[in-house]
């Protein structure tokens, strides 16, 4: 049961109690759903907006469709005006703090003020020097502002891009300093990814494997360590996807990549990053326009990325099997005592056939305000 109180976040990370209702939480959920209609392959974050009438009986929806198009708030306002929706006294629910930036489009905060919006509820604060400050602008105009609602979901949605935005770059041209990193593995109940004889095909069932390919279709690149690449000879593709639409295939590590490997012979681009310097690896991905990467093993690479605190999200598939011996899903991640453990928060679980999928995000200092 949701509480009727939540916390508002300022750019300094200070939380202050503010009221929020079940209906408002539902409206913000609709804004998140709308945001996912936006593209993943632009330099802008995906943002959704819902405008609810003063009486709470009608609403309109907007989302950002990519660089050069109206922001989510502007789209929602345009829909409202075209349908006769009464803007005066309405409430805006936005997944990201409305911007205060003059760029290709006017500041969304100003547009909401001029439309007569009475209240703004947003999820993630825009701390970037490019667009930040919208909440303060709204408050100065007398608009009631609630922030930090379902904070963690808002952070996930934009892949932490805005935290790294430079001061002197047009927001339409900005490329993040590093991509959003998802680490994935499939394992038995006792944490094994292969049996004692090395067999690993297949630990999970067909439904789990199909779902994993659905996730693959949402990323810009699929990466594995050079050891796993040499041992498993993976294709690094997405099932039932045209050749030109496959994500970039990436191999990281000093072992050479054979031109006779399945990934090299499949006709798609393959990037070999011959290094063990993982910050350098993710920087290389950014320079290759990768904003979202799925690291699909092996345990050495995944563990090292976690040890370097470079993993934003974990995807773990657990099969109802006990192997008792065999290759572990995880290697040394630099933890010597319990208090030094790497923390992740579970944000989704679902059953896929006989298997269970668990999605987790790296725990932040600010935490989840939901």
């Amino acid at each position: 049961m949701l509480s009727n109180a939540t916390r508002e976040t300022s750019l300094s990370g200070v939380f202050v109690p503010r009221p929020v209702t079940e209906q408002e939480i539902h409206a913000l959920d609709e804004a998140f759903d709308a945001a996912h209609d936006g593209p993943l392959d632009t330099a802008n974050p995906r943002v959704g907006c819902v405008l609810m009438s003063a009486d709470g009986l009608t609403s309109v929806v907007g989302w950002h469709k990519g660089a050069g198009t109206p922001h989510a708030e502007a789209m929602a306002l345009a829909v409202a005006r075209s349908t006769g929706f009464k803007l005066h006294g309405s409430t805006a629910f936005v997944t990201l703090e409305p911007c205060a930036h003059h760029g290709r489009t006017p500041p969304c905060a100003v547009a909401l003020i001029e439309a007569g919006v009475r209240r703004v509820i947003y999820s993630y604060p825009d701390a970037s020097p490019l667009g930040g400050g919208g909440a303060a602008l709204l408050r100065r105009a007398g608009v009631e502002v609630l922030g930090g609602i379902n904070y963690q979901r808002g952070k996930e949605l934009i892949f932490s891009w805005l935290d790294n935005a430079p001061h002197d770059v047009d927001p339409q041209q900005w490329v993040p300093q590093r991509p959003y990193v998802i680490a994935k593995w499939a394992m038995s109940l006792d944490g094994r990814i292969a049996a004692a004889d090395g067999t690993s095909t297949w630990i999970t069932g067909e439904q789990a494997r199909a779902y994993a390919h659905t996730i693959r279709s949402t990323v810009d690149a699929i990466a594995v360590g050079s050891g796993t690449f040499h041992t498993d000879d993976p294709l690094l593709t997405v099932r039932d996807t045209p050749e030109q639409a496959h994500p970039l295939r990436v191999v990281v590590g000093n072992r050479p990549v054979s031109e006779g490997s399945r990934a090299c012979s499949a006709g798609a681009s393959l990037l070999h990053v011959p290094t063990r310097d993982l910050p350098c690896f993710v920087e290389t991905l950014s320079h290759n326009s990768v904003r979202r990467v799925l690291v699909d093993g092996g345990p050495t690479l995944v563990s090292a990325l976690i040890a370097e605190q470079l993993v934003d999200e974990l995807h773990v598939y657990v099969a109802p099997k006990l192997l008792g011996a065999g290759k572990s899903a995880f290697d040394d991640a630099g933890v010597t005592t319990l208090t030094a453990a790497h923390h992740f928060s579970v944000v989704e679980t679902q059953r896929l056939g006989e298997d269970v999928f668990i999605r987790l995000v790296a725990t932040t200092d600010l935490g989840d305000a939901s």
Side-chain angles (χ1 to χ4, degrees), residues 66-339:
T69 66
H71 288 187
E73 298 94 324
M75 178 182 176
L77 289 170
V79 172
R81 293 184 174 109
S82 68
T83 59
F85 176 91
K86 294 183 179 180
L87 282 165
H88 186 75
S90 62
T91 299
F93 302 86
V94 197
T95 57
L96 180 67
E97 177 187 352
C99 70
H101 173 73
H102 289 267
R104 295 187 189 179
T105 57
C108 292
V110 173
L112 293 172
I113 293 167
E114 292 177 346
V117 171
R118 176 185 62 86
R119 197 168 189 230
V120 173
I121 295 177
Y122 68 87
S123 175
Y124 194 73
D126 186 350
S128 74
L130 291 171
L137 186 63
L138 288 160
R139 290 191 186 97
R140 287 197 296 269
V143 178
E144 182 183 357
V145 181
L146 306 181
I149 313 303
N150 209 339
Y151 171 91
Q152 190 63 47
R153 188 177 179 186
K155 180 178 184 294
E156 292 173 57
L157 181 64
I158 65 170
F159 314 145
S160 302
W161 288 356
L162 294 178
D163 289 337
N164 297 322
H167 290 262
D168 56 353
V169 178
D170 185 284
Q172 308 295 342
Q173 303 300 322
W174 171 59
V175 176
Q177 292 181 9
R178 77 164 182 87
Y180 189 83
V181 178
I182 302 169
K184 171 258 180 183
W185 67 83
M187 67 181 189
S188 62
L189 282 174
D190 51 346
R192 308 291 180 176
I193 62 172
D197 65 355
T199 56
S200 60
T201 308
W202 295 96
I203 285 182
T204 54
E206 174 60 30
Q207 284 185 241
R209 299 197 300 274
Y211 188 77
H213 276 270
T214 300
I215 299 296
R216 283 186 173 204
S217 69
T218 69
V219 301
D220 301 308
I222 302 171
V224 295
S226 58
T228 296
F229 187 81
H230 176 77
T231 302
D232 295 347
D233 192 20
L235 277 169
L236 304 180
T237 58
V238 179
R239 184 186 299 176
D240 300 326
T241 296
E243 180 178 300
Q244 66 274 15
H246 287 299
L248 176 67
R249 307 169 200 201
V250 181
V251 180
V252 57
N254 291 324
R255 296 186 68 168
V257 172
S258 170
E259 293 184 1
S261 64
R262 294 200 301 162
C264 289
S265 62
S269 299
L270 186 143
L271 172 66
H272 181 208
V273 186
T275 184
R276 293 181 179 177
D277 183 335
L278 296 181
C280 175
F281 159 59
V282 293
E283 182 180 352
T284 300
L285 292 180
S286 180
H287 289 318
N288 282 271
S289 300
V290 173
R291 299 184 178 88
R292 184 173 165 92
V293 57
L294 175 69
V295 179
D296 202 359
T300 300
L301 175 59
V302 169
S303 302
L305 284 165
I306 291 174
E308 294 269 8
Q309 297 185 339
L310 291 172
V311 173
D312 300 288
E313 186 167 314
L314 298 179
H315 289 189
V316 183
Y317 298 80
V318 183
K321 300 173 182 176
L322 291 170
L323 299 180
K327 192 172 185 179
S328 174
F330 206 68
D331 288 343
D332 179 19
V335 176
T336 57
T337 182
L338 187 60
T339 56

Side-chain angles (χ1 to χ4, degrees), residues 335-352:
V335 176
T336 57
T337 182
L338 187 60
T339 56
H342 301 282
H343 288 273
F344 291 83
S345 297
V346 176
V347 294
E348 178 187 354
T349 61
Q350 63 172 300
R351 184 168 176 173
L352 301 170

